[in-house]
């Protein structure tokens, strides 16, 4: 294979023209379905091209259409929360779903894993982008604007160019479940980024505390630090509020850190403390005990986001619009299930 | 944000030239570090460009250099075995690692999840590719050759353009561990693709059977079917060879299916049957019980593969070459750990 690869020469349109006994222009017109070409000539060209295994140049097609046929999923979330140590977080699941959906519509997804030290946009020739959970004054949103790259958001501010992750519904599901599972004094640990998810969880938590008559206890942790920040925030809460009997921690990295703090404090999940997180991903499933979480239907989210972006680009697929179902609770051992 | 995005106009080189009081050519030469430009003029241009938030066009850069600065990870493995239902398999972990490594060297990774109904190469303007575990007469290898796209393989036939996944060492680790854990009659379930991993596991299993004096029992399952094929193959083996007390199943999708067959046969893992798989990924970790597996050091594999491809493209990074460490056993409950 190695030998073959090194000696292989690409079959060009000139090779097809020579073999077919026609001009390169006629061959190009025949293969691209443009101009006036006799149908028998066109078929002859196609047969010769197939026999020679001619592959049209993707780069030439891009130049002709002025499109890159590439999109990207981007996020300014710190790598510690969006992909995590194992690289298989929220971001990764969405990227895989979007890449598959995009390919079926003739688009390639460029993969830019969140990295704290590098700007992927400076390297990407893309027609559009999907921005995951933008922060207020998100630097990537600003750069997309400056580069005039069209984009949709996922889990951002409500609007026609946003795919709703239904943060408030997810928060309500988890808080009601904790209360129904026996919690009387649930606390909340949030990231400090001000993203819509964190704001909405905060709002729903405060409203629930008021409605159900428990005093709200909220801590914030630094997203860029990840699990260790979650551990420290939980340790602080447990020391200052020993009456807490449940923690709602929407960022799963923080939840895995909190598990350690609970253990270190000599308490057990779920016997002495209930614990719930948001995204039902690898981390929720592999923690010990596994964490109660919410199915956000990331497959449908990926599908809708790509569909909406392609519509924005004037390249809507033929498939019918899909809806993202309401988030669904996945009860696990961390809340006694 | 939506409003802003829609009314935003891209800042062009002409805008910078007008603002700087210079010709577009001088601006272009200043920003790209070419031609003879007075250093003070160059600094003035850079200051104006920064103030206007001018972003050079990635497409123009691509045209100038003739490179796409994009690579792809490709695989002809059926989606059922390379990514699996949760989309977080072997392929995904490698893709994330490679994307991060490539970005640091100025390359973008195009994400083409294995899909059985679609040819991503027809959509990709790439400078090079990484092909994961090619099969004999791999169709993607053939198309890369026809398109004259340089590529390296991962886990393929030994050679300078292959990153060795050390299949034989992984097989020996698992088989020795099963025997040391008390197995006297281990069986083997393989995919039928003829990939190097499957061939090497087969060879090492037969050699071990001969050396240790147990009769070899091998079944093959259809990779494109995934877990259900693994279940059926294991059910058949258990019915025909009730004396088997361990199964080595390198494809983790098959191993998860085999777990069901073992359960259905009224036997328990690890009490009545030991079970081990190859890749220490999400599936091995989330099975019940969790599966003994091998750490293949996919981070290092990703790193080496990108490094080797960039060297092939004449664009070697500045970092020192790294080695892939020897595979390491991860003993879990499925073998009594």
């Amino acid at each position: 294979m190695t030998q073959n690869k090194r000696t292989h020469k690409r079959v060009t349109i000139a090779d097809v023209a020579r073999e077919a006994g026609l001009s390169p222009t006629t061959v190009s017109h025949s293969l691209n379905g443009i101009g006036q070409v006799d149908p028998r000539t066109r078929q002859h060209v196609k047969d010769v091209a197939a026999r020679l295994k001619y592959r049209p140049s993707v780069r030439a097609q891009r130049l002709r259409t002025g499109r890159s046929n590439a999109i990207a999923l981007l996020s300014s979330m710190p790598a510690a929360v969006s992909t995590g140590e194992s690289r298989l977080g929220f971001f990764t699941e969405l990227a895989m779903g979007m890449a598959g959906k995009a390919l079926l519509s003739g688009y390639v997804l460029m993969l830019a894993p969140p990295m704290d030290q590098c700007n992927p946009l400076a390297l990407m020739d893309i027609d559009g982008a999907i921005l995951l959970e933008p922060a207020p004054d998100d630097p990537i949103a600003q750069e997309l604007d400056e580069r005039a790259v069209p984009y949709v958001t996922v889990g951002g501010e409500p609007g026609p160019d946003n795919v709703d992750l239904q943060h408030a519904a997810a928060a309500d599901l988890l808080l009601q479940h904790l209360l129904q599972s026996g919690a009387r004094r649930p606390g909340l640990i949030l990231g400090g980024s001000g993203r819509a998810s964190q704001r909405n969880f905060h709002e729903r938590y405060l409203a629930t505390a008021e409605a159900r008559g428990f005093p709200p206890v909220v801590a914030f942790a630094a997203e860029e630090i990840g699990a260790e920040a979650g551990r420290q925030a939980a340790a602080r809460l447990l020391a200052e509020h020993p009456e807490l009997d449940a923690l709602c921690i929407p960022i799963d990295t923080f939840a895995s850190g909190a598990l350690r703090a609970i253990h270190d404090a000599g308490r057990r999940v779920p016997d002495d403390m209930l614990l719930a997180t948001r995204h039902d991903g690898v981390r929720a499933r592999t923690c010990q005990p596994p964490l109660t979480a919410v199915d956000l239907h990331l497959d449908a989210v990926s599908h809708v986001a790509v569909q909406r972006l392609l519509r924005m680009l004037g390249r809507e697929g033929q498939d019918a619009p899909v809806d993202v179902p309401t988030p669904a609770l996945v009860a696990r051992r961390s809340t006694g299930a």
Side-chain angles (χ1 to χ4, degrees), chain A:
Chain A
M1 186 183 341
T2 301
Q3 285 310 313
N4 186 27
K5 171 169 58 182
R6 289 199 167 136
T7 58
H8 212 96
K9 287 249 319 213
R10 183 186 174 86
V11 176
T12 66
I13 214 153
D15 298 323
V16 178
R18 192 166 43 242
E19 183 76 12
L22 295 163
S23 75
T25 305
T26 304
V27 169
S28 171
H29 284 191
S30 299
L31 292 174
N32 292 309
I34 51 179
Q36 299 271 332
V37 183
D38 180 89
R40 282 164 304 182
T41 304
R42 180 163 291 166
Q43 190 56 51
H44 173 57
V45 169
K46 287 187 173 170
D47 292 344
V48 171
R51 180 153 45 81
L52 296 185
K53 296 194 173 167
Y54 168 73
R55 311 280 189 178
S57 156
V58 180
R59 189 163 304 166
Q61 288 174 333
R62 294 175 75 146
L63 288 176
R64 205 174 60 238
T65 62
R67 288 191 303 265
S68 70
N69 284 340
I71 61 175
L73 171 65
L74 301 168
S75 174
S76 66
M77 275 197 268
V81 303
S82 55
T83 58
E85 290 136 39
S86 71
R87 297 196 159 134
L88 297 177
F90 198 41
F91 180 93
T92 314
E93 284 187 58
L94 284 168
M96 289 294 284
M98 288 172 182
K101 173 75 184 101
L103 274 181
L104 292 177
S105 301
Y107 278 76
V108 173
L109 184 97
M110 292 190 175
L111 183 61
M115 293 170 66
D116 305 330
Q117 72 275 53
C118 171
N119 175 9
L121 268 175
L123 298 170
M124 292 181 161
D125 181 11
I126 48 177
D127 295 337
I130 298 168
L131 180 58
L132 176 59
E133 293 211 21
D137 301 319
D138 193 285
I140 295 181
Q142 289 174 12
E143 187 168 345
L144 288 167
D145 286 338
E146 286 159 21
R147 292 179 179 272
V149 174
Y151 64 98
V152 299
T153 57
V154 169
E157 302 304 324
D161 299 338
N162 178 62
V163 181
D164 193 357
L165 281 183
Q166 308 180 60
H167 304 304
D172 284 344
L173 264 182
L174 290 170
L175 293 168
Q176 296 308 319
H177 171 73
L178 288 172
L179 294 168
Q180 281 162 14
S181 303
R184 291 164 181 276
R185 298 293 306 270
L188 180 71
I189 297 180
L190 293 172
S193 63
R195 296 174 208 282
S197 59
Q198 305 304 296
R199 287 205 325 276
N200 292 352
F201 264 79
H202 200 178
E203 288 156 12
R204 295 309 307 150
Y205 174 80
L206 294 178
T208 305
E210 185 166 333
R212 302 290 288 257
F214 62 84
V217 176
V218 182
F220 292 88
E223 295 184 10
E224 62 277 16
I225 295 178
E228 174 58 16
R231 189 195 64 74
Q232 290 176 10
R236 215 163 47 237
L237 275 193
L238 294 178
E240 293 173 8
H241 296 278
E243 74 281 9
L244 292 178
D245 55 10
L247 286 174
C248 179
I249 310 183
I251 294 178
D252 56 2
T253 320
F254 289 166
S256 72
L259 261 181
R260 285 211 303 281
I262 296 166
H263 178 83
D264 292 346
R267 299 174 70 169
R268 287 164 308 166
V269 174
D271 308 19
D272 310 318
M273 175 72 79
L274 305 180
L275 182 58
T277 190
R278 180 173 67 134
H279 168 48
D280 174 35
V282 173
R283 197 169 279 113
R285 283 176 264 149
T286 54
C287 273
Q288 278 306 327
L291 304 183
T292 290
V294 174
D295 182 353
L296 297 170
H297 306 292
L298 294 192
D299 246 23
V301 168
S302 302
H303 195 126
V304 172
V306 170
Q307 210 173 43
R308 214 164 281 181
L309 178 60
L310 295 191
R311 199 178 307 143
M312 189 183 272
L313 300 178
R315 302 270 290 172
E316 194 172 357
Q318 296 163 336
D319 45 348
V322 287
D323 280 328
V324 179
T326 306
L329 187 80
V330 183
R332 293 221 179 79
R333 273 221 319 283
S334 72
T335 55

